[in-house]
């Protein structure tokens, strides 16, 4: 594959992945059965501020990105795109989805949301344009404190979920299912969407942190 073709494919993966991430979040919101950790916070803030959940996602993403400054991290194209595109896609999808009232409709929406989130994560991380602002915060704290990425992620996400729940965000079976399945799903889809190197035929299996933890949004 030529260098220009390789970059073009990476860009397509990046923006398709980020768009689908927003779609997956909208499916979880519509299901009403529980959101991913940051989604709980976004929904809680949206209910308190009157902003849409997508607008809150953009504001929170930008605020988290500011925390990169003292951590001396540099954002990439994927980082900046993440801040805006996921929120826009989330709001756009919610505007199109009809309400789901019965469990017969809500459960498939929840399952589809979790599965699609894993695929979206694999797509945009495999594009290798930089981590999302929230993942950068996690790895930046790991580098500064010397604590494990698993510990940093746990502390951040527990704090985010607790705060979101207090503000009115939805926690449910979808939240638990997401927590248990997103790691294996993301790892699987990272392999599926891994891109060949522009200069060789070798395949990049996954982008990992120094301790081997998968970067997510």
């Amino acid at each position: 594959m030529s260098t220009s073709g390789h970059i073009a494919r990476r860009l397509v993966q990046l923006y398709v992945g980020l768009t689908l991430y927003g779609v997956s979040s909208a499916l979880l919101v519509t299901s009403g059965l529980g959101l991913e950790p940051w989604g709980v916070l976004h929904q809680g803030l949206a209910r308190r501020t009157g902003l849409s959940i997508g607008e809150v996602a953009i504001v929170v993403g930008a605020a988290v990105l500011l925390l990169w400054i003292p951590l001396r991290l540099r954002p990439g194209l994927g980082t900046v795109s993440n801040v805006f595109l996921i929120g826009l896609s989330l709001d756009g999808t919610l505007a199109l989805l009809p309400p789901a009232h019965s469990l017969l409709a809500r459960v498939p929406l929840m399952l589809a949301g979790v599965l699609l989130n894993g695929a979206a994560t694999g797509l945009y991380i495999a594009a290798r344009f930089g981590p999302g602002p929230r993942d950068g915060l996690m790895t930046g704290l790991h580098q500064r404190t010397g604590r494990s990425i698993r510990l940093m992620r746990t502390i951040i996400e527990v704090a985010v979920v607790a705060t979101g729940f207090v503000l009115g965000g939805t926690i449910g079976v979808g939240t638990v299912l997401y927590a248990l399945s997103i790691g294996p799903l993301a790892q699987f889809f990272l392999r599926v969407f891994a891109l060949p190197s522009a200069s060789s035929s070798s395949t990049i299996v996954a982008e990992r942190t120094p301790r081997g933890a998968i970067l997510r949004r």
Side-chain angles (χ1 to χ4, degrees), residues 138-157:
M138 175 183 67
T139 56
L141 289 172
H142 153 71
Q143 293 166 4
R144 290 294 170 185
T145 65
R147 302 291 184 177
S148 70
I149 288 178
R150 184 183 297 275
L151 177 61
M152 291 297 99
R153 173 184 165 187
T154 300
I155 291 173
I156 292 171
E157 293 196 348

Side-chain angles (χ1 to χ4, degrees), residues 181-204:
S181 62
I182 191 58
L185 283 173
Q187 185 65 52
F188 170 76
F189 284 110
L190 276 165
R191 292 193 178 98
V192 171
F193 297 120
L195 289 167
S197 170
S199 58
S200 70
S201 59
S202 63
T203 301
I204 298 172

Side-chain angles (χ1 to χ4, degrees), residues 3 18 47 57 63 65 71-72 82 89 106-107 113 115-116 120 146 155 167 187 197 204 209 214:
T3 301
L18 292 176
R47 287 174 172 172
L65 192 54
L71 296 174
R72 299 179 182 177
N82 183 299
S89 174
R106 294 165 66 195
V107 171
L115 181 62
L116 184 59
I155 291 173
L167 293 173
Q187 185 65 52
S197 170
I204 298 172
T209 66
I214 296 173

Side-chain angles (χ1 to χ4, degrees), residues 36-178:
E36 73 279 16
W38 285 94
V40 177
L41 177 63
H42 298 157
Q43 187 181 60
L45 287 170
R47 287 174 172 172
R48 295 286 180 166
T49 63
L51 297 173
S52 72
I53 189 170
E55 290 169 340
V56 170
I58 292 171
V59 171
V60 170
V64 172
L65 192 54
L66 291 177
L67 297 177
W68 282 36
I69 297 174
L71 296 174
R72 299 179 182 177
L73 301 173
R74 293 185 178 182
L77 175 63
T79 310
V80 178
S81 300
N82 183 299
V83 172
F84 296 100
L85 189 53
I86 290 177
L88 293 173
S89 174
L90 170 54
D91 275 351
T93 304
L94 285 174
L96 297 174
L97 285 175
H101 300 294
S102 69
L103 280 178
L104 192 62
R106 294 165 66 195
V107 171
L109 283 173
M110 176 193 69
L111 296 175
V114 173
L115 181 62
L116 184 59
N117 191 281
T121 298
L123 271 168
Y124 91 78
I125 291 180
R128 305 190 312 279
F129 279 109
R134 298 157 184 84
D135 286 319
L137 176 63
M138 175 183 67
T139 56
L141 289 172
H142 153 71
Q143 293 166 4
R144 290 294 170 185
T145 65
R147 302 291 184 177
S148 70
I149 288 178
R150 184 183 297 275
L151 177 61
M152 291 297 99
R153 173 184 165 187
T154 300
I155 291 173
I156 292 171
E157 293 196 348
V158 167
V160 162
V161 169
T163 303
F165 179 70
V166 169
L167 293 173
T170 304
I171 295 177
V173 64
T175 310
V176 177
L177 179 63
Y178 182 92

